[in-house]
Amino acid sequence: MLAGSGAAVALTQAPGVQAQGSSGGAATPPTMPVSFTVNGKEAELTLDTRVTLLDALREHLELTGSKKGCDHGQCGACTVMVNGTRINSCLSLAVQHQGDEITTIEGLGTPDNLHPMQAAFVKHDGYQCGYCTPGQICSAVATLAEIRAGIPSHVQDDITAAPAFSAAELRERMSGNICRCGAYSNIVDAITEVAGA
Amino acid sequence: MRPFTYQRVATAAEAAAAVAGNPGAKFLAGGTNLLDLMKLEIERPAHLVDVQDIEGLGTIEQAEDGGLRIGALVTNTTLAANERVRRDYGVLTRAIVAGASGQLRNKATTAGNLLQRTRCPYFYDPNLPCNKRNPGSGCAALEGYSRQLAVIGSSDKCIATYPGDMAIAMRVLDATVETVQPDGTTRAIPFAEFHRLPGDEPERDNVLAHGELITAVTLPRPLGGKHFYQKVRDRASYAYALVSVAAVIQPDGTGRVAFGGVAHKPWRVEAAEAALPQGAAAVTAQVFADARPTEHNRFKLPLATRALAGVLAEAKG
Ligand SMILES: Cc1cc2nc3c(=O)[nH]c(=O)nc-3n(C[C@H](O)[C@H](O)[C@H](O)COP(=O)(O)OP(=O)(O)OC[C@H]3O[C@@H](n4cnc5c(N)ncnc54)[C@H](O)[C@@H]3O)c2cc1C
Ligand code: SF4
Ligand code: FES
Ligand code: FES
């Protein structure tokens, strides 16, 4: 168990909607301007300070590729890259990202011009329902970059050595992306092909 | 989530003053723990002071005494990947990469990680009493399901554990937490004194004052020896520890050991370390002499002994 009954409680509250009776009256909740780049395009928004990066992308910029699974950092469906690094966009406020460069699944490739990782997921059937897939693919692209950059992992025998690519490394490094359909073995095949291992 | 105002600050003194002057204010670093709790309205700050822009808190530097100074904003990923940390403080890299996920470690900061709150399931359930969440309301865990919870150092008010991994390694390394206090003065808190036992005030996880900002964690000179972080959990990755062992073992069999997942703070009994050459059971008999397990978490005691035995066997190999 990661966080008790967390997810169930949070999902009863729609994004951007004020929790009932929690603001102590009719006061308008604070808003703030924020600007960042999403998939190479400038975005300028004025948002309730509570809006997460995920909700800004989905509800305000209509980039619905990034998914909301748990809204609590437990599933990875919301994974995007910020300044080249993967994070859970559900556990980050939009206003924390002033000036940042954000890449979502929509920025990796298009239906006519798939990113190699997208193409590999299609080829290897790396999904069933597809809900976790945008997060899996963003996470997979970032994972290969992290291995190339020498970021260590829990499954390395020698923590001082450069990490090597292996299925065990992939399983460990992709553990923040849950797939309820259990497409894991095909996901590993897809990433392995792109890694050229 | 409750509404809040948001502010960015440029200096540590400005940050400390901004939070100290406002009882409803909190620091925001990566946000991976605070925002999670704010969504559940377990944390309800009216004002957030985002510390990400503060100069000088994002670097890892050699300290004058030959040790290492880790800025409060250094991410878990950056710290774990640092070459000196991997070479000289391997237990720290091992502990960090055993925690959370790649995405979370990219965002989590050194200070935020130390201050992450318990994962007691009742703390997370606003419908049930919890002295840590709502002081004086009672403790649902005492009569509840306590498999994950503390076996030692607990009180009649709270039996929660400190859930983190990195801090267990920092305890073994005898780290120091450096802060700026609301009046602008600094202090250095030995790691052993940083996290608290629950006692009569389980709402206080650590000794920081409201508005006291962590600026760095410093490590003393390297200890040498072999470094281990053995984490036992319900699945192979992306789960909190049931029991964890951070250890530095020297070629002659002497060393240091601290345990995670067993208490409200990283659990280390220095006096017991003299027994390391005699084997795991000799050590844990002393480390857990005052244990008060529940019927659900009694298994953690033999588990701790076996986890340490595994480490000691590997150290010999
Ligand atoms: C699904 C999930 C699984 C996880 N699994 C693990 C695990 O296995 N092991 C593990 O160790 N952790 C785990 N974590 C916890 C994670 O490591 C923490 O959320 C993270 O380290 C917190 O860092 P942050 O910078 O995001 O903190 P924030 O959320 O920004 O802050 C946390 C607290 O620290 C305070 N704070 C932040 N910076 C400062 C400062 N400089 N001075 C004073 N106060 C400050 C904030 O006010 C807040 O109260 C997990 C988290 C999630 C969501
Ligand atoms: S053990 Fe502590 S955190 Fe858990 S319910 Fe009891 S008081 Fe709350
Ligand atoms: S939505 Fe599940 S991790 Fe963000
Ligand atoms: S494909 Fe359905 S959750 Fe992964």
Side-chain angles (χ1 to χ4, degrees), chain A residues 13 22 49-50 71-74 79 85-86 90 92 96 146 150 156-157 159 161 172 175 177, chain B residues 1-2 4 6 8 29 32 35-36 39 41 52 86 93-94 103-104 106-107 119 233 235 237-238:
Chain A
Q13 195 180 315
S22 66
T49 50
R50 293 172 291 181
D71 214 19
H72 285 274
Q74 299 174 7
T79 304
T85 303
R86 61 176 168 155
C90 71
S92 211
Q96 286 176 277
E146 286 171 12
Q156 265 176 264
D157 282 335
I159 209 83
E172 163 59 25
S175 71
N177 291 84
Chain B
M1 207 188 296
R2 305 267 173 121
F4 56 85
Y6 170 94
R8 287 205 183 183
T32 60
L35 296 174
D36 193 358
K39 289 181 185 196
E41 300 197 350
Q52 68 171 297
R86 285 156 83 166
T93 289
R94 287 265 176 224
Q103 289 95 316
L104 288 161
N106 284 341
K107 192 89 186 312
R119 292 278 164 170
R233 43 185 158 172
R235 58 182 183 197
S237 187
Y238 205 19

Side-chain angles (χ1 to χ4, degrees), chain A residues 2 6-7 21 30 39 47 55 92 97 100 111 123 137 147-148 163 166 181-182 190 192:
Chain A
L2 285 165
N39 303 329
L47 298 171
D55 287 339
S92 211
H97 293 284
D100 284 349
K123 177 176 163 193
I137 291 177
I147 295 175
R148 281 194 299 272
S166 71
C181 299
T192 303

Side-chain angles (χ1 to χ4, degrees), chain A residues 1-7 9-10 13 18-19 22-23 29-30 32 49-50 52 71-76 79 85-88 90-93 95-98 135 139 146 150-154 156-163 171-173 175-178, chain B residues 1-8 28-33 35-41 48 50 52 77-78 80-82 86-87 90 93-94 97-98 100-107 119 121 124-127 145 148 229 231 233-240:
Chain A
M1 189 190 307
L2 285 165
S5 55
V9 176
Q13 195 180 315
Q18 211 170 291
S22 66
S23 72
M32 274 187 78
T49 50
R50 293 172 291 181
T52 60
D71 214 19
H72 285 274
Q74 299 174 7
C75 77
T79 304
T85 303
R86 61 176 168 155
I87 66 162
N88 301 114
C90 71
L91 283 189
S92 211
L93 295 172
V95 292
Q96 286 176 277
H97 293 284
Q98 176 62 40
S139 203
E146 286 171 12
I151 308 288
S153 95
H154 173 63
Q156 265 176 264
D157 282 335
D158 178 0
I159 209 83
T160 61
R171 285 195 198 96
E172 163 59 25
R173 290 170 189 267
S175 71
N177 291 84
I178 309 292
Chain B
M1 207 188 296
R2 305 267 173 121
F4 56 85
T5 47
Y6 170 94
Q7 167 191 15
R8 287 205 183 183
L28 175 69
T32 60
N33 190 230
L35 296 174
D36 193 358
L37 293 167
M38 284 168 63
K39 289 181 185 196
L40 299 168
E41 300 197 350
L48 288 183
D50 187 336
Q52 68 171 297
T77 298
T78 302
N82 180 273
R86 285 156 83 166
R87 191 184 67 224
T93 289
R94 287 265 176 224
V97 297
S101 67
Q103 289 95 316
L104 288 161
R105 293 191 297 269
N106 284 341
K107 192 89 186 312
R119 292 278 164 170
Y124 272 83
D125 187 341
N127 300 310
Y145 185 59
Q148 294 154 285
Y229 189 74
K231 181 173 177 179
R233 43 185 158 172
D234 282 331
R235 58 182 183 197
S237 187
Y238 205 19
Y240 286 93

Side-chain angles (χ1 to χ4, degrees), chain A residues 2 72-75 91 96, chain B residues 26-36 43 51 57 72-73 76 95 98-101 104 107-117 119 162-166 208 212-215 231 233 238-241:
Chain A
L2 285 165
H72 285 274
Q74 299 174 7
C75 77
L91 283 189
Q96 286 176 277
Chain B
K26 278 194 127 338
F27 300 115
L28 175 69
T32 60
N33 190 230
L34 184 54
L35 296 174
D36 193 358
E43 298 271 14
V51 298
L57 299 197
L73 290 175
N76 279 182
S101 67
L104 288 161
K107 192 89 186 312
T109 64
T110 302
N113 189 297
L114 290 183
L115 299 177
Q116 63 178 293
R117 307 216 61 194
R119 292 278 164 170
Y162 171 77
D165 294 295
M166 182 187 80
L208 292 182
E212 186 168 5
L213 180 83
I214 299 179
T215 51
K231 181 173 177 179
R233 43 185 158 172
Y238 205 19
Y240 286 93

Side-chain angles (χ1 to χ4, degrees), chain B residues 27-275:
Chain B
F27 300 115
L28 175 69
T32 60
N33 190 230
L34 184 54
L35 296 174
D36 193 358
L37 293 167
M38 284 168 63
K39 289 181 185 196
L40 299 168
E41 300 197 350
I42 293 166
E43 298 271 14
R44 285 168 291 195
H47 184 64
L48 288 183
V49 176
D50 187 336
V51 298
Q52 68 171 297
D53 299 329
I54 299 178
E55 286 285 319
L57 299 197
T59 53
I60 303 172
E61 289 158 16
Q62 169 99 26
E64 279 164 28
D65 63 353
L68 209 60
R69 183 178 187 281
I70 304 157
L73 290 175
V74 171
T75 65
N76 279 182
T77 298
T78 302
L79 181 56
N82 180 273
E83 285 212 8
R84 260 209 76 194
V85 175
R86 285 156 83 166
R87 191 184 67 224
D88 294 336
Y89 305 98
V91 63
L92 186 53
T93 289
R94 287 265 176 224
I96 293 170
V97 297
S101 67
Q103 289 95 316
L104 288 161
R105 293 191 297 269
N106 284 341
K107 192 89 186 312
T109 64
T110 302
N113 189 297
L114 290 183
L115 299 177
Q116 63 178 293
R117 307 216 61 194
T118 186
R119 292 278 164 170
C120 170
Y122 303 100
F123 175 74
Y124 272 83
D125 187 341
N127 300 310
L128 292 173
C130 168
N131 287 323
K132 191 182 272 300
R133 172 168 35 78
N134 187 7
S137 62
C139 169
L142 285 177
E143 300 295 321
Y145 185 59
S146 48
R147 179 171 178 268
Q148 294 154 285
L149 305 181
V151 293
I152 195 161
S154 55
S155 72
D156 296 340
K157 296 263 164 62
C158 177
I159 58 170
T161 56
Y162 171 77
D165 294 295
M166 182 187 80
I168 316 302
M170 287 181 169
R171 178 69 182 90
V172 134
L173 293 169
D174 276 335
T176 303
V177 181
E178 292 185 5
T179 71
V180 170
Q181 302 181 92
D183 64 3
T185 59
T186 60
R187 69 166 171 158
I189 307 165
F191 212 83
E193 292 160 27
F194 182 75
H195 292 103
R196 291 180 71 255
L197 288 179
D200 286 337
E201 290 179 296
E203 67 276 16
R204 292 184 58 213
D205 296 344
N206 54 63
V207 299
L208 292 182
H210 180 72
E212 186 168 5
L213 180 83
I214 299 179
T215 51
V217 174
T218 54
L219 304 179
R221 301 166 66 88
L223 295 167
K226 286 191 186 170
H227 290 225
F228 300 91
Y229 189 74
Q230 178 74 45
K231 181 173 177 179
V232 186
R233 43 185 158 172
D234 282 331
R235 58 182 183 197
S237 187
Y238 205 19
Y240 286 93
L242 290 167
V243 164
S244 71
V245 177
V248 177
I249 307 294
Q250 303 298 337
D252 64 1
T254 62
R256 300 178 178 192
V257 58
F259 293 86
V262 293
H264 199 260
K265 60 189 288 188
W267 197 254
R268 179 173 172 205
V269 177
E270 277 91 336
E273 291 166 359

